[in-house]
């Protein structure tokens, strides 16, 4: 008797919920797709739920630095927008001295309330004028410190160019009373000219290193005679007592 065999057909499995709520198969085993909380945590990428914590101190420091940076920028802009080019002296200029181009320089300064200055564009107009006060090297020049020297009526300003030994080595600032003395090699000449004068521009030395020049105020009536004596190197400057 022949034995027949029947083919066993595979039947689909059905899922059912376990009492705990997890889906299971007919065999009672949980489905592979179901994950426990621990498994889900393990499957979560590291740092996916971590948020950077901001330190209040760092935030405050950042705000402070930003504020300081803005303040510094505002101050720099204000200084740049209010910068002024003014004149200063490159050397000490005694009172009464005539200003030369080399005596002046241009510098840039910010706002200086209460400080009197002369704009740089007026440099050429100051050359040839006189210092009415002593101007130390590097000092700012004010409009009131430069001008024309005033002479009393009846006086004139005389420039003298003297050889070494014809005037004292001691400083002779503006206003110093002096006496102009005629000198001669003629011993028979008993009379010589003596004229009271006053220093208008302090003596300075020419580039040759020995010749001295200065300006004095003298009576108009004696100016021509004194100029002639100075040109012939027959004039000496003497400092008067008390001067």
């Amino acid at each position: 008797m022949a034995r027949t065999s029947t083919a066993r057909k595979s039947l689909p499995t059905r899922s059912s919920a376990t009492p705990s709520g997890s889906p299971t198969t007919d065999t009672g085993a949980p489905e592979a797709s179901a994950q426990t909380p621990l498994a889900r945590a393990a499957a979560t990428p590291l740092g996916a739920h971590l948020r950077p914590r901001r330190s209040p101190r760092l935030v405050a420091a950042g705000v402070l630095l930003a504020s300081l940076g803005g303040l510094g920028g505002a101050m720099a802009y204000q200084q740049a927008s209010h910068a002024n080019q003014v004149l200063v002296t490159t050397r000490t200029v005694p009172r009464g001295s005539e200003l030369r181009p080399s005596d002046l320089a241009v510098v840039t300064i910010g706002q200086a309330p209460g400080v009197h200055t002369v704009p740089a564009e007026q440099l050429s107009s100051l050359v040839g004028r006189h210092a009415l006060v002593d101007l130390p090297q590097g000092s700012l020049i004010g409009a009131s410190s430069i001008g024309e020297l005033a002479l009393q009526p009846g006086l004139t300003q005389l420039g003298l160019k003297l050889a070494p030994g014809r005037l004292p080595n001691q400083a002779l600032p503006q206003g110093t009373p002096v006496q102009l003395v005629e000198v001669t090699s003629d011993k028979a000449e008993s009379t010589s000219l003596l004229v009271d004068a006053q220093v208008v521009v302090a003596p300075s030395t020419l580039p040759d290193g020995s010749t001295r020049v200065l300006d004095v105020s003298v009576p108009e009536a004696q100016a021509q005679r004194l100029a002639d004596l100075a040109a012939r190197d027959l004039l000496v400057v003497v400092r008067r007592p008390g001067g």
Side-chain angles (χ1 to χ4, degrees):
M1 183 175 178
R3 298 177 58 184
T4 62
S5 61
T6 61
R8 301 179 62 182
K9 297 180 179 180
S10 300
L11 298 178
T13 60
R14 292 179 296 178
S15 298
S16 60
T18 61
S20 61
S22 299
T24 62
T25 61
D26 289 341
T27 60
E31 288 185 352
S33 60
Q35 295 181 346
T36 64
L38 182 60
R40 286 197 300 270
T44 302
L46 183 61
H49 297 292
L50 298 179
R51 295 183 179 178
R53 300 180 60 185
R54 295 182 175 88
S55 172
R57 293 183 179 179
L58 293 179
V59 173
V63 173
L64 178 60
L65 290 176
S67 300
L68 292 177
L71 180 60
M75 293 180 63
Y77 173 78
Q78 184 179 12
Q79 291 181 354
S81 61
H82 293 85
N84 300 310
Q85 289 190 320
V86 298
L87 297 176
V88 298
T89 55
T90 59
R91 69 176 184 91
T92 298
V93 181
R95 180 179 57 180
S97 298
E98 182 177 331
L99 290 176
R100 299 171 295 181
S102 59
D103 296 333
L104 305 173
V106 177
V107 297
T108 301
I109 64 173
Q111 289 183 319
V115 178
H116 300 287
T117 58
V118 175
E121 55 266 24
Q122 297 183 17
L123 187 150
S124 59
S125 65
L126 296 187
V127 175
R129 302 181 73 180
H130 296 83
L132 302 180
V133 296
D134 292 330
L135 298 173
Q137 181 179 1
S139 60
L140 294 171
I141 297 178
S144 60
S145 61
I146 304 297
E148 299 299 333
L149 300 175
L151 296 176
Q152 297 179 0
L155 298 179
T156 188
Q157 184 171 336
L158 176 66
L160 299 177
K161 181 180 177 181
L162 302 176
R166 296 298 185 179
L167 75 166
N169 289 327
Q170 186 179 7
L172 298 175
Q174 181 195 28
T176 303
V178 295
Q179 192 171 60
L180 307 181
V181 181
E182 178 186 3
V183 294
T184 176
S185 58
D186 188 359
K187 296 182 179 179
E189 184 70 30
S190 58
T191 61
S192 60
L193 182 65
L194 300 175
V195 179
D196 290 338
Q198 190 176 56
V199 175
V200 177
V201 179
S204 60
T205 304
L206 294 182
D208 63 7
S210 58
T211 305
R212 307 289 299 280
V213 293
L214 76 159
D215 285 7
V216 293
S217 61
V218 297
E220 291 181 358
Q222 304 292 339
Q224 184 175 356
R225 174 79 185 275
L226 292 171
D228 178 66
L229 293 173
R232 292 187 289 141
D233 195 22
L234 296 176
L235 197 64
V236 172
V237 176
V238 179
R239 185 166 188 162
R240 285 191 289 171

